[in-house]
Amino acid sequence: MSKFVELFCDVDDFCKVFIPQWCKQLLEDGTRKRQKEGQREGQMTTYEIMTIVVSFHMSHYRDFKNYSLGYVSLVYKNAFPNLLSYTQFIEVMPRVIVPICAYFTSLKGKPSGYEFIDSSSIKVCHNIRIPRHKTFDGIAQRGKGTMGWFYGFKLHLVVNHHGEIVAAKVTTANVHDTQPVRELAEGLTDKLYGDKGYLSKALEADLLDKGVSLITTVRKNMKAKATSLWDRAMLSRRYIIETINDQLKNISYIEHSRHRSMNGFMLNLLAGLVANCLKENKPNLNLTDVELNSMIIA
């Protein structure tokens, strides 16, 4: 319960700063008309909705309906005086996509100089149901990963050696892993480690111009590259980002096949990323000062 309260307070503090700025921007852009100050009677606040959505991804529940009806409505009914019914709540959830996106941006880690990059498949349905799938028809695409063909999207992540997400991007499944790297590498320094899927001389040269050294493994039919002992050791520790991808799917629950809209998909993904950022015990390489100093000397 204490974690729920901590989340509620943190989201509340964030919204007190973000929401007024966001509303001001919308008014200046003419996106929305000026409304009276305050929340309409009987309407849940943005931070209340965000708290419930993110807390679901931090729980052991795997179905939001059961979480809403079987947990929030029973345990926290008094904490949310304007708590909506499940059907009403589903209708208002999409309105917090922008605040949750901004919240995720505020929680992202800082580049440490030793980053790892990887992509993970986000399947939206089983392969045998692709011809009958309607929700993402014309949006999702077929792609191939290490586990074979799938239909949906890809989540591209950059994490630092502390296990913190530094950058993230979603693409359709047919986008090559190297395509979003330039955008994801903005602001990075020194080393970026990836698997053989990121092999590209052009990409390596572009990143080097920005001060980032792309270090990758090689394919079996290629000659071994001249790589320092440190870089070889760091490449062998790529399990950190693979572990984070696994936790996002199996703990934060960013992947399931029950989506009914693109908004629902994006909200589910963003809330899962936020939940991962708020995890107390993240995968960590625990590099010692001696190891870091040896890297500087090398």
Side-chain angles (χ1 to χ4, degrees):
M1 185 174 290
S2 60
K3 289 185 178 180
F4 190 95
V5 174
E6 289 177 9
L7 173 64
F8 183 90
C9 294
D10 193 56
V11 173
D12 184 24
D13 290 340
F14 169 79
C15 286
K16 285 178 180 177
V17 176
F18 174 75
I19 297 298
Q21 296 177 349
W22 183 38
C23 291
K24 181 181 178 182
Q25 184 65 43
L26 293 176
L27 288 169
E28 292 175 351
D29 294 344
T31 306
R32 90 181 214 186
K33 297 179 180 179
R34 185 175 299 277
Q35 296 179 350
K36 292 182 179 179
E37 293 291 332
Q39 197 78 14
R40 291 200 301 269
E41 185 178 356
Q43 187 177 16
M44 292 188 72
T45 61
T46 299
Y47 63 85
E48 288 176 328
I49 298 172
M50 286 175 62
T51 299
I52 293 174
V53 171
V54 173
S55 65
F56 162 66
H57 290 270
M58 300 175 71
S59 72
H60 64 277
Y61 284 83
R62 287 296 172 264
D63 181 89
F64 185 75
K65 185 174 184 179
N66 288 331
Y67 179 72
S68 176
L69 299 177
Y71 183 69
V72 176
S73 296
L74 298 179
V75 179
Y76 292 105
K77 186 176 182 179
N78 294 331
F80 299 100
N82 296 321
L83 184 63
L84 302 172
S85 67
Y86 171 73
T87 303
Q88 292 173 318
F89 193 88
I90 293 297
E91 291 178 354
V92 301
M93 278 173 62
R95 82 181 194 199
V96 302
I97 290 179
V98 173
I100 280 191
C101 185
Y103 187 43
F104 168 60
T105 300
S106 73
L107 294 173
K108 288 191 299 184
K110 304 297 182 183
S112 65
Y114 316 107
E115 270 68 51
F116 298 83
I117 188 168
D118 197 12
S119 67
S120 180
S121 61
I122 307 294
K123 305 169 189 172
V124 296
C125 74
H126 193 281
N127 285 345
I128 62 174
R129 294 197 293 109
I130 294 176
R132 305 193 304 273
H133 189 80
K134 301 299 182 184
T135 303
F136 297 101
D137 186 28
I139 304 175
Q141 299 292 334
R142 295 175 189 252
K144 190 176 184 180
T146 55
M147 302 301 291
W149 289 93
F150 67 98
Y151 181 71
F153 303 89
K154 278 184 181 180
L155 174 63
H156 305 264
L157 287 182
V158 173
V159 305
N160 59 28
H161 73 278
H162 300 299
E164 301 168 331
I165 298 175
V166 175
K169 184 177 179 63
V170 180
T171 65
T172 53
N174 60 343
V175 171
H176 195 276
D177 287 350
T178 58
Q179 188 169 325
V181 175
R182 292 172 179 82
E183 180 181 349
L184 290 169
E186 289 293 331
L188 299 187
T189 59
D190 208 358
K191 306 283 187 176
L192 178 62
Y193 299 95
D195 61 20
K196 55 182 176 291
Y198 294 93
L199 279 169
S200 170
K201 290 184 178 180
L203 175 62
E204 189 174 339
D206 287 348
L207 293 184
L208 195 58
D209 288 340
K210 298 179 180 180
V212 180
S213 298
L214 178 62
I215 313 296
T216 65
T217 54
V218 296
R219 298 188 180 93
K220 292 181 180 179
N221 61 349
M222 296 176 62
K223 292 182 179 180
K225 294 194 299 183
T227 308
S228 69
L229 290 175
W230 173 272
D231 289 337
R232 272 185 277 176
M234 292 299 280
L235 284 172
S236 69
R237 298 182 180 183
R238 286 192 64 262
Y239 60 80
I240 184 173
I241 192 168
E242 294 168 353
T243 300
I244 291 171
N245 278 326
D246 182 71
Q247 290 180 346
L248 282 169
K249 289 184 178 181
N250 298 309
I251 298 178
S252 299
Y253 203 48
I254 64 171
E255 181 185 57
H256 66 76
S257 59
R258 300 187 305 275
H259 297 295
R260 295 296 175 264
S261 68
M262 190 65 191
N263 284 337
F265 169 79
M266 288 306 302
L267 183 60
N268 183 78
L269 180 61
L270 286 167
L273 290 172
V274 168
N276 183 270
C277 290
L278 294 172
K279 276 176 61 68
E280 293 180 355
N281 299 315
K282 296 181 178 68
N284 194 328
L285 294 187
N286 295 316
L287 298 178
T288 64
D289 291 338
V290 174
E291 290 175 314
L292 293 173
N293 289 335
S294 68
M295 169 59 187
I296 296 173
I297 294 173

